[in-house]
Amino acid sequence: MKHLLALFIIIIIAFTSCEGRKTQSQALSESIAEFKKTATFETNIYIPENYLEHQVDTLMSNGFRVKIKTYSDMSSDVLFSKIKDTINYQTHYRNFKFDIRVEKEGQLIFEESYDKHKANKLFGYRDDFVSDSPFYNFDKLAILQSIQVDDEPSPKNKVLIDVMYAIPETNRTALHTLFVNDNGTINMVHVTQN
């Protein structure tokens, strides 16, 4: 009877220890998978990271002097997000402001400062473009890519300034030319877009 009781206890222990528990590696794998589903980490990236300023002073052969100052707007940016391996990468592309000052033979004829809102008006970027329009979302997502004096043709009575806006992380760009004539009026011509 003693042996039967010992056999019975061994069988009970064997059945209770094999209750379908997971191995340690299975439990760890499931725990990691569950953590990845619920936890996300956020990384903020700013481009440019710090304040950036650039000034150009151009004296042209036709008597015009053009000063252009561009500087990063530290309070305005365009946000792009990507999630990769439970990390949410938040990339903030800072908008740029720019100032244009034009003189003709020492006399100030044009001076204006532009931020994102004012540039949208100047270039005709609106929020009501349809999704297949080449300027769709330029009002929200495009940032200043470059601005430069176009001194190639050097017309006698005007200054040409090329301005390019682009949507980051895409190949969408728009190139505009600003014409400032010798009486200080400004006109804009859209040149190309991708």
Side-chain angles (χ1 to χ4, degrees):
M1 191 67 161
K2 237 179 176 182
H3 293 294
L4 192 56
L5 184 61
L7 183 62
F8 182 69
I9 291 175
I10 292 175
I11 292 174
I12 289 175
I13 292 174
F15 278 118
T16 57
S17 66
C18 296
E19 60 188 35
R21 285 191 254 169
K22 300 172 187 153
T23 64
Q24 205 172 19
S25 64
Q26 288 174 327
L28 181 61
S29 296
E30 288 179 9
S31 178
I32 290 172
E34 185 66 29
F35 176 76
K36 283 184 176 181
K37 289 179 189 174
T38 59
T40 57
F41 296 101
E42 192 171 283
T43 301
N44 287 304
I45 303 163
Y46 289 89
I47 300 174
E49 187 174 349
N50 299 312
Y51 178 78
L52 183 67
E53 182 177 302
H54 182 72
Q55 294 185 30
V56 175
D57 189 352
T58 306
L59 183 59
M60 302 178 70
S61 62
N62 59 5
F64 285 95
R65 182 177 192 160
V66 182
K67 295 180 181 181
I68 299 174
K69 176 182 171 183
T70 56
Y71 46 100
S72 52
D73 187 349
M74 302 304 279
S75 62
S76 173
D77 59 57
V78 176
L79 174 64
F80 285 84
S81 296
K82 289 182 189 173
I83 297 176
K84 182 178 178 186
D85 295 333
T86 72
I87 299 174
N88 185 3
Y89 293 96
Q90 302 266 341
T91 306
H92 300 263
Y93 292 91
R94 296 191 197 274
N95 286 309
F96 282 84
K97 295 180 178 181
F98 58 96
D99 303 336
I100 300 174
R101 179 182 172 97
V102 180
E103 298 174 1
K104 173 74 173 180
E105 297 170 2
Q107 297 293 319
L108 178 66
I109 60 170
F110 180 82
E111 185 171 31
E112 195 69 47
S113 295
Y114 295 92
D115 61 2
K116 176 74 171 164
H117 179 69
K118 204 168 180 181
N120 281 347
K121 282 185 179 178
L122 178 66
F123 299 121
Y125 301 149
R126 303 183 315 265
D127 63 354
D128 61 351
F129 285 115
V130 293
S131 62
D132 60 345
S133 168
F135 294 119
Y136 179 70
N137 275 344
F138 263 74
D139 63 314
K140 295 178 202 88
L141 301 178
I143 61 171
L144 180 68
Q145 194 71 26
S146 68
I147 182 169
Q148 64 185 14
V149 176
D150 185 355
D151 59 354
E152 283 299 315
S154 191
K156 187 175 183 175
N157 62 349
K158 62 180 82 170
V159 172
L160 282 65
I161 301 170
D162 294 328
V163 182
M164 179 181 283
Y165 267 78
I167 296 179
E169 301 182 12
T170 70
N171 60 357
R172 296 182 56 207
T173 61
L175 178 63
H176 308 277
T177 299
L178 300 176
F179 295 87
V180 180
N181 62 23
D182 55 2
N183 65 4
T185 57
I186 188 169
N187 293 311
M188 186 276 303
V189 173
H190 172 70
V191 180
T192 62
Q193 86 276 338
N194 290 342

